[in-house]
Amino acid sequence: MDSFSELLKSKAAVGDFDFHRGCREIGVVNISFADDLSILCRANEKSLKTVKRMLAMFGDCSGLKPNLAKSTCYFAGIVDKEEVRLSNIVGIPISALPVRYLGIPLTTKQISGHDCRVLVDRVRNRIEGWGCKHLSFAGWVTLINSMLFGVCNYWCQTTIIPIQTIKAIEKLMKQYLWKGAIVGKFIPKVSWKQATLRKMEGGLGIKDLKTWNMACMAKHIWDICSRKEALWVKWINTIRLKGVSFWGVKERSIDSWVWRKLLMLRDTIKPHEEYKGER
């Protein structure tokens, strides 16, 4: 979609297209993943008419035409009546956040336990589908470490999971660990804190989801500080930090909850930071 991106940028240069807020500095007009395309622009008539015209032009040249019936428009900061008018210009129906993409809820607000209910259900369905009541205790531990943790790992690396969701998942894991099923009462042999210790420390090697989620978020901080070659890292350093160190930037009331959570991790991560190399 590089050619499509260049078409929109050329229209922006002559005033026929307005960048979305925070996108002009790094020249972002679209984000592509597999066969999905997200187009970012200012919510005004000239920009949307240009997008519609460029999509038609790109389709005529490449044969790749969007399915408008399966596409959606997302607006912010404008009244409902204006949303309808602009949606009619491009012929794409209006939708609203939160929306689920690649299994993860996308929202401008803090992800709630309700948004993550699908993750809890997925863990429960995985356990209920196992015909393994005759496995040994070591087999149950192996399934938790491999299968159940694998279900949660993608979410842990992508977003900050609410604590109530983590507790719900850990309850299912506890039931399965000590009973081999998720129905009926169970009596834990040791505390869950002890079970999540490494084997060399006397535990079962089951990862603590809250700690693992925090570690995955810390990996994002590493990417920001090391300026990894990624679009969102470039956006953070250019738009959010603006030359200020991640360790010194101040939290603002208008910051998103995810960004505030990352800033809150600084006190935990800072003592473990060490710089190696030439000053």
Side-chain angles (χ1 to χ4, degrees):
M1 299 300 292
D2 288 344
S3 57
F4 176 75
S5 177
E6 293 304 319
L7 281 173
L8 285 181
K9 289 179 182 179
S10 66
K11 293 300 178 180
V14 297
D16 291 336
F17 177 85
D18 292 332
F19 283 95
H20 190 279
R21 188 182 67 176
C23 293
R24 177 181 295 276
E25 291 85 346
I26 57 177
V28 175
V29 294
N30 68 278
I31 301 174
S32 303
F33 184 85
D35 58 348
D36 294 325
L37 172 67
S38 297
I39 302 174
L40 310 173
C41 71
R42 187 68 61 85
N44 56 38
E45 184 174 337
K46 71 172 182 179
S47 296
L48 291 176
K49 284 184 175 180
T50 297
V51 168
K52 183 178 181 180
R53 189 167 61 253
M54 293 301 101
L55 284 174
M57 183 184 299
F58 182 80
D60 293 339
C61 296
S62 65
L64 302 174
K65 296 186 178 181
N67 187 334
L68 299 183
K70 294 183 178 180
S71 302
T72 51
C73 283
Y74 297 92
F75 295 98
I78 59 175
V79 297
D80 294 344
K81 185 177 180 180
E82 183 68 4
E83 289 183 1
V84 174
R85 187 181 74 85
L86 294 176
S87 174
N88 291 334
I89 290 176
V90 290
I92 298 177
I94 302 173
S95 187
L97 299 176
V99 63
R100 196 170 301 281
Y101 183 69
L102 298 178
I104 301 294
L106 302 181
T107 177
T108 56
K109 301 178 181 179
Q110 180 175 349
I111 293 180
S112 65
H114 177 74
D115 296 327
C116 299
R117 188 65 190 176
V118 63
L119 176 59
V120 180
D121 292 339
R122 193 170 299 168
V123 172
R124 178 182 291 105
N125 294 337
R126 183 63 62 88
I127 296 175
E128 290 177 343
W130 286 339
C132 50
K133 293 184 178 180
H134 302 293
L135 282 178
S136 65
F137 179 77
W140 294 344
V141 174
T142 300
L143 284 176
I144 291 175
N145 284 334
S146 58
M147 303 299 292
L148 296 187
F149 181 74
V151 172
C152 303
N153 190 37
Y154 173 62
W155 284 65
C156 286
Q157 297 186 56
T158 307
T159 188
I160 299 172
I161 303 177
I163 188 63
Q164 66 185 95
T165 300
I166 291 178
K167 289 182 178 179
I169 294 173
E170 288 183 343
K171 181 180 179 180
L172 294 174
M173 289 183 175
K174 293 175 188 177
Q175 286 180 301
Y176 182 72
L177 176 64
W178 301 121
K179 196 173 186 296
I182 55 174
V183 292
K185 296 181 179 180
F186 67 97
I187 301 176
K189 306 299 188 296
V190 297
S191 68
W192 186 248
K193 183 178 181 180
Q194 178 70 27
T196 54
L197 293 176
R198 294 181 298 175
K199 292 182 178 180
M200 65 178 66
E201 297 174 331
L204 298 175
I206 300 174
K207 288 187 175 65
D208 179 77
L209 284 180
K210 181 180 178 181
T211 302
W212 182 251
N213 191 198
M214 183 184 299
C216 292
M217 293 300 104
K219 176 60 168 59
H220 294 321
I221 295 175
W222 170 265
D223 291 339
I224 293 172
C225 295
S226 62
R227 295 183 176 270
K228 179 183 177 181
E229 286 296 327
L231 178 60
W232 80 272
V233 173
K234 183 179 180 181
W235 188 89
I236 288 292
N237 280 290
T238 303
I239 307 300
R240 182 65 71 194
L241 297 180
K242 296 181 179 179
V244 178
S245 168
F246 173 80
W247 307 106
V249 68
K250 295 182 179 180
E251 180 181 329
R252 303 176 302 173
S253 59
I254 62 174
D255 288 339
S256 68
W257 73 274
V258 174
W259 180 246
R260 292 199 301 269
K261 287 287 187 179
L262 289 179
L263 294 181
M264 289 172 60
L265 285 177
R266 289 183 294 190
D267 292 339
T268 303
I269 298 173
K270 186 65 175 178
H272 306 285
E273 180 201 17
E274 182 179 356
Y275 179 85
K276 294 182 179 181
E278 296 181 1
R279 291 287 182 179

